[in-house]
Amino acid sequence: MRIRATVAAVSGALALSAFVAPAAHAAGSSPDVTFSNMKVNKGSSMVVGTAKASFSVTYTVTHAASLPASDFATGPVIYRGSSVTSPTDLFASDDPGTCTAASSTVLNCKATLAFTVGGDSDLDNSEAGSWSVGGVAADADSNVKWVGGLGTTKVLRAAKLTADATPEPVKKGKTITVTGSLTRANWDTHKYGAYTGQSVKLQFRKKSATTYTTLKTVKSSSTGALKTTTTATADGYYRYSFAGTSTTAAVSATGDYVDVQ
């Protein structure tokens, strides 16, 4: 299980202990708070490459009138497993959320989930995919409350895609060859490596158009290479586009312009 969470001082001289594994706080009282409106990365997947990546989280906390906001701290968590109190893997924000009062008992909060790849890496390849979302609260007496079932999110491996159309220029009706490469972040080696056997679309956008049209679908080779041909019809841009998988983010190459004469 992985825990990435530290609670710093939240008000004046009040300093809360570090968030620890859920099992360590199975007994005892817990802060009288509830979480709602938890949104990770504005509802989009968290895409991580081979460097540190940080993502914003917003959420609402409702607390008992008898519990001053200065007496507790909160933060978001993502986890895998049957529940947040018995996870197979768990990440929490390194710092507590920054909150503003919406009323005497309601706080609107912001926090950050950060992942490090390389060196003392947080992530490995097996952790790409779907995660459950939850929250954690700790009070001045080091009581901790873990809340799960607040939604789902994804942590995906970043992908890179290139496209090169030749020859340039070309006569109308002649053959254009489009090569490229599909790679994705390897969180175990901390480098980008070939993403093999993946379906990738060759797309074309006329010079005067604003959208791309799919011409055909090809598969990446054992080295991640892409290569196919098409017929030159008009000036425009050629690119490859990858729809993504359950573990890897979608990506489209920058369009390569070809002048058709």
Side-chain angles (χ1 to χ4, degrees):
M1 181 178 354
R2 301 176 183 212
I3 305 296
R4 298 288 185 270
T6 302
V7 180
V10 295
S11 177
L14 176 61
L16 302 184
S17 63
F19 290 154
V20 295
H25 286 271
S29 60
S30 59
D32 189 1
V33 303
T34 59
F35 291 86
S36 60
N37 303 321
M38 185 76 71
K39 183 168 287 188
V40 179
N41 196 30
K42 298 181 179 179
S44 298
S45 298
M46 293 181 283
V47 180
V48 182
T50 56
K52 184 175 181 178
S54 299
F55 305 92
S56 64
V57 184
T58 58
Y59 57 98
T60 300
V61 171
T62 302
H63 60 93
S66 59
L67 178 64
S70 59
D71 284 358
F72 66 93
T74 62
V77 301
I78 61 171
Y79 64 96
R80 283 176 159 175
S82 59
S83 71
V84 70
T85 55
S86 57
T88 56
D89 205 354
L90 182 147
F91 287 95
S93 58
D94 288 329
D95 298 305
T98 300
C99 303
T100 57
S103 73
S104 61
T105 58
V106 177
L107 303 173
N108 291 327
C109 304
K110 297 180 180 179
T112 300
L113 284 171
F115 303 94
T116 300
V117 178
D120 184 18
S121 179
D122 286 341
L123 292 169
D124 56 52
N125 291 338
S126 67
E127 293 177 306
S130 295
W131 291 71
S132 297
V133 177
V136 60
D139 66 18
D141 295 322
S142 298
N143 296 311
V144 178
K145 180 177 185 177
W146 298 85
V147 178
L150 299 179
T152 60
T153 188
K154 290 183 179 181
V155 184
L156 300 179
R157 296 164 65 177
K160 293 182 178 180
L161 190 57
T162 62
D164 181 27
T166 57
E168 304 174 53
V170 65
K171 289 185 178 181
K172 186 175 182 178
K174 295 297 184 179
T175 297
I176 292 175
T177 300
V178 186
T179 58
S181 177
L182 177 64
T183 58
R184 65 172 173 168
N186 187 321
W187 295 337
D188 296 337
T189 65
H190 316 143
K191 299 177 181 179
Y192 278 82
Y195 200 8
T196 66
Q198 299 303 305
S199 295
V200 180
K201 295 177 180 179
L202 174 66
Q203 299 182 326
F204 175 69
R205 175 171 69 85
K206 287 185 179 181
K207 182 179 179 179
S208 58
T210 58
T211 59
Y212 279 87
T213 299
T214 298
L215 302 178
K216 62 173 68 175
T217 300
V218 298
K219 282 190 177 293
S220 57
S221 73
S222 60
T223 62
L226 300 162
K227 184 176 181 179
T228 191
T229 60
T230 188
T231 301
T233 57
D235 294 350
Y237 300 85
Y238 292 89
R239 74 174 187 183
Y240 283 114
S241 183
F242 173 60
T245 65
S246 61
T247 62
T248 305
V251 65
S252 293
T254 299
D256 188 23
Y257 182 76
V258 174
D259 178 18
V260 176
Q261 300 177 342

